[in-house]
Amino acid sequence: MPAGEDVNFGDVQANFVAGNWVTSKKLIDNINPATGESFAKVSMASLNDLERSISQAQKIHESRMLYEMKPHERAAMIYRIGDALHELKPVGAKILCLESGKRLCDAEDEFDEAVRYFRYYAGMADKLEGRSIPLGAGYIDYTLNMPYGVTAHIIPWNFPLSIAARSLAPALAAANCAIVKLPELAPMAALLLGRACEMAEVPKGVVSILCGDGPEIGGALVRHPDVSQVVFTGSVAVGQQIMGVLAERVVPCVTELGGKSGGIVARDANLKRVLDSVYWGIFFHSGQVCSAMSRLIVPREMQDEIIHMIEEEIDSFSVGDGIENNDITPVISEGHLNGILGSIETGKSEGARLVRGGHRLNRPGFFVAPTVFADIHTEMTIGKKEIFGPVLALQPYDNDAEALAIANGTDYGLAAGVFTQDIDKAGWFSDRLNAGQVYVNEWYAGGVETPFGGMKMSGNGRDKGQEAIFNYVQTKNVAIRIG
C-alpha cells in the first residue's frame, strides 16, 4: 500500500477510470494562481472513459455487491478511504495549495475535513435502518432503503476535495456507485481520491474520478440513462440546465447554487466577533465561497465606525502566495479576476461608495485587493449578484424589520447571520431569515455533522449531517398478507 510521500505530480495526472489510471493525449495546464504559470499537466477524460466508468459502475450495482455487503464491512471500507486520505495529506495539501491558490493551512484543513466526511458516514453505513409499520392482524409491512445505483457528483473548483468527499462518502455508505466529475481548474488534489480508493481496496469500478470538459463530460454524464441520481455544486445557470435535462428522465438532483449572504450586525453586537467573521466570511480564500458573507447589514449610525475597524483589519493583512499562509491569496484564474473587476466597476457606476480596494494588485498572479463598498441598497447589482470574490458590501438599516427585509431581499437563501448578545433577538432573526443555515456570532459555525443547503435559488436538498444520506436512498415499502 503506497504511502503519501510516494505521491508526485505524475501520480495524479491521469484519470481514475473504473479503478484504473488512464491518461489521454488531451492535456490541460494546471495553473498556479499565485504566479499565473503552469506547474503540471492533467489528462482530460474522454467520452470513452466516461462510458467505461458508468458501464462498470452499473454492472456492480446490478450485481448487488455493495448492497449485499455486510454493512459493517462497507463501513470499514469507507473508513479506510478516510485513513488513506489522511496518509496522503502531506503531499496532497501542497498540491491543493498550488493549484487553488488557497493558504497551505487551509488546504491541510480541507484534507482533514474530507477525512472527517468519510469517517462520519462510515459510522452511518450500518445504521441505515428500515421500519416496521403496523397494519393490523394478518399483515406484515416494512420499509427498505434502496440505493439509486450510479450516482454522479459534479464538483466545483473552490473546495474540490472537500465537496467531493461530502457527497461521495454518504453515497457509498448507502451502497451506491459513484462517478465524480472534477473541474478543469484545480483538479489534481481531488484526483487523489482515486489513490485513496486504491489504498482502501475499494472494488474496481465502484468509484471513478474524472477530470473533463464541463459541457462535454458533464453534459454526457447527466444525460446518461444509467445515471440515477446527481449532485451538483456550482452556478445557478448551470444548475438550471442540469435540472432541466434531468427532469426529462425524472432523475433527482441535489443542488447547491451559491448565494448573496448577509450578516446582520445588531446594535449590541460584539464588534470583535464581527471583525473575525469579516475575515473568514469574505476575505478567506479571497471570497471564493458559496456561503460567503458578501453583505454586512449594519445600523446606520454605526456604519462609519465599522468601516473604520474593517479598514484597520485590512491594513493588517499579509498578501501573497498561499504556500506561505498569507491572509490574502489569489483568485483562481485570470478570467475569474476580470469578472470580479467587472462587478466592482458595475458597483461604482450604480452609485455604491467604494471605501477600499477595487483594483487588481500590481504583482504576478491573480490578486484582487480586498474591497469594501458602503451605502449600497438591495436593488444595486452589487447587492444582489454573487461576485465570488473578496468584495464586501455594507448596507445600513434603521430598525430590525428593515434589517430582516434587507437580508431576505435577494433571490438567494444559502446562508445568513446575526451578531448580537441578546439571545431573544438571535432567535427572532434566526426564525425569520430565509436561509438554509444561520450563523449567530460566528460565520461558518458548524461542521460535517450539521446539514447544509439552500433555500430559494440557492438550491435544494441538504449536504452534510445525517440528512444527507437520505439523498442516496429510495424508500421501498413491502406489504405482506399472511395467513
Side-chain angles (χ1 to χ4, degrees):
M1 197 174 285
E5 56 267 23
D6 295 330
V7 178
N8 56 46
F9 294 158
D11 291 319
V12 292
Q13 286 179 344
N15 289 283
F16 192 61
V17 179
N20 299 293
W21 292 102
V22 178
T23 58
S24 70
K25 293 181 180 179
K26 185 177 181 181
L27 303 175
I28 56 170
D29 287 308
N30 205 11
I31 304 296
N32 181 346
T35 64
E37 298 177 354
S38 173
F39 70 94
K41 293 184 182 294
V42 179
S43 290
M44 293 286 275
S46 67
L47 290 173
N48 183 56
D49 294 332
L50 178 65
E51 184 60 39
R52 286 173 56 197
S53 299
I54 296 174
S55 176
Q56 184 63 23
Q58 181 64 13
K59 287 178 183 177
I60 291 172
H61 170 62
E62 291 174 355
S63 75
R64 297 170 62 92
M65 179 184 70
L66 284 181
Y67 181 67
E68 294 181 354
M69 183 185 291
K70 290 181 179 179
H72 73 87
E73 293 176 353
R74 192 164 64 247
M77 179 187 75
I78 298 166
Y79 206 95
R80 291 195 302 270
I81 299 174
D83 286 347
L85 271 183
H86 179 73
E87 193 173 348
L88 294 167
K89 170 184 167 181
V91 170
K94 292 177 183 176
I95 294 172
L96 182 57
C97 171
L98 286 173
E99 67 182 352
S100 70
K102 67 183 60 177
R103 299 186 302 180
L104 179 59
C105 61
D106 296 326
E108 292 169 340
D109 287 347
E110 185 166 341
F111 265 80
D112 290 340
E113 184 174 65
V115 169
R116 285 213 61 211
Y117 280 123
F118 285 104
R119 291 175 176 172
Y120 180 84
Y121 288 108
M124 291 191 68
D126 58 357
K127 300 171 186 67
L128 263 178
E129 300 170 346
R131 60 193 180 103
S132 174
I133 301 170
L135 294 180
Y139 293 93
I140 296 174
D141 192 281
Y142 59 93
T143 64
L144 298 170
N145 292 308
M146 306 299 297
Y148 277 96
V150 181
T151 63
H153 307 249
I154 301 176
I155 308 302
W157 49 258
N158 57 335
F159 296 95
L161 182 70
S162 175
I163 291 176
R166 82 180 186 192
S167 61
L168 176 58
L172 293 175
N176 294 278
C177 295
I179 313 298
V180 180
K181 191 275 175 191
L182 299 179
E184 298 94 316
L185 298 170
M188 284 175 60
L191 278 165
L192 286 173
L193 283 167
R195 172 59 70 88
C197 287
E198 283 185 317
M199 294 166 67
E201 299 179 343
V202 176
K204 284 190 173 186
V206 169
V207 176
S208 290
I209 315 288
L210 308 178
C211 175
D213 177 75
E216 180 186 37
I217 301 300
L221 180 60
V222 299
R223 288 181 170 85
H224 199 285
D226 288 337
V227 170
S228 300
Q229 190 260 7
V230 175
V231 185
F232 171 77
T233 300
S235 70
V236 171
V238 176
Q240 289 171 326
Q241 292 174 14
I242 289 173
M243 287 187 284
V245 169
L246 295 176
E248 297 176 5
R249 294 195 293 118
V250 198
V251 170
C253 183
V254 178
T255 57
E256 191 230 299
L257 305 178
K260 190 68 178 178
S261 304
I264 298 170
V265 179
R267 288 175 171 82
D268 69 337
N270 180 327
L271 295 185
K272 170 66 167 60
R273 288 187 173 178
V274 174
L275 278 181
D276 288 344
S277 286
V278 165
Y279 174 74
W280 286 105
I282 192 61
F283 297 129
F284 157 70
H285 198 17
S286 281
Q288 299 168 118
V289 185
C290 295
S291 51
M293 187 177 69
S294 52
R295 296 182 296 147
L296 199 61
I297 302 159
V298 301
R300 191 175 304 277
E301 70 277 12
M302 295 173 65
Q303 180 177 232
D304 288 344
E305 175 190 3
I306 291 171
I307 287 172
H308 178 68
M309 294 176 69
I310 292 172
E311 288 194 277
E312 286 187 332
E313 182 181 44
I314 290 174
D315 286 338
S316 72
F317 290 161
S318 61
V319 179
D321 198 322
I323 204 76
E324 298 171 349
N325 288 323
N326 286 289
D327 299 311
I328 300 299
T329 52
V331 299
I332 190 67
S333 69
E334 181 84 27
H336 188 55
L337 180 148
N338 290 333
I340 295 168
L341 296 180
S343 294
I344 290 170
E345 289 305 310
T346 298
K348 291 160 63 176
S349 68
E350 291 183 349
R353 175 163 63 98
L354 179 63
V355 172
R356 186 69 178 245
H359 58 274
R360 180 175 188 164
L361 294 176
N362 185 22
R363 58 182 303 138
F366 314 129
F367 288 85
V368 178
T371 298
V372 180
F373 282 93
D375 295 319
I376 74 150
H377 57 75
T378 306
E379 292 309 308
M380 290 179 175
T381 303
I382 202 170
K384 59 185 179 182
K385 177 189 174 185
E386 184 178 39
I387 297 175
F388 222 61
V391 181
L392 177 64
L394 274 71
Q395 185 164 356
Y397 73 89
D398 294 309
N399 55 62
D400 288 351
E402 183 184 8
L404 179 67
I406 291 170
N408 287 337
T410 74
D411 292 332
Y412 296 102
L414 185 56
V418 58
F419 298 88
T420 179
Q421 300 180 68
D422 183 338
I423 190 63
D424 291 332
K425 189 181 291 288
W428 185 89
F429 275 114
S430 298
D431 187 52
R432 292 164 174 79
L433 286 164
N434 294 329
Q437 40 277 312
V438 176
Y439 305 120
V440 179
N441 292 329
E442 181 187 328
W443 206 263
Y444 300 137
V448 302
E449 310 87 349
T450 55
F452 180 87
M455 297 180 178
K456 300 191 287 186
M457 292 190 75
S458 288
N460 55 68
R462 291 294 178 267
D463 290 305
K464 302 171 54 177
Q466 295 183 36
E467 283 86 347
I469 202 163
F470 296 103
N471 295 325
Y472 304 98
V473 295
Q474 304 174 88
T475 301
K476 177 187 289 186
N477 191 83
V478 180
I480 304 173
R481 179 72 165 94
I482 58 176

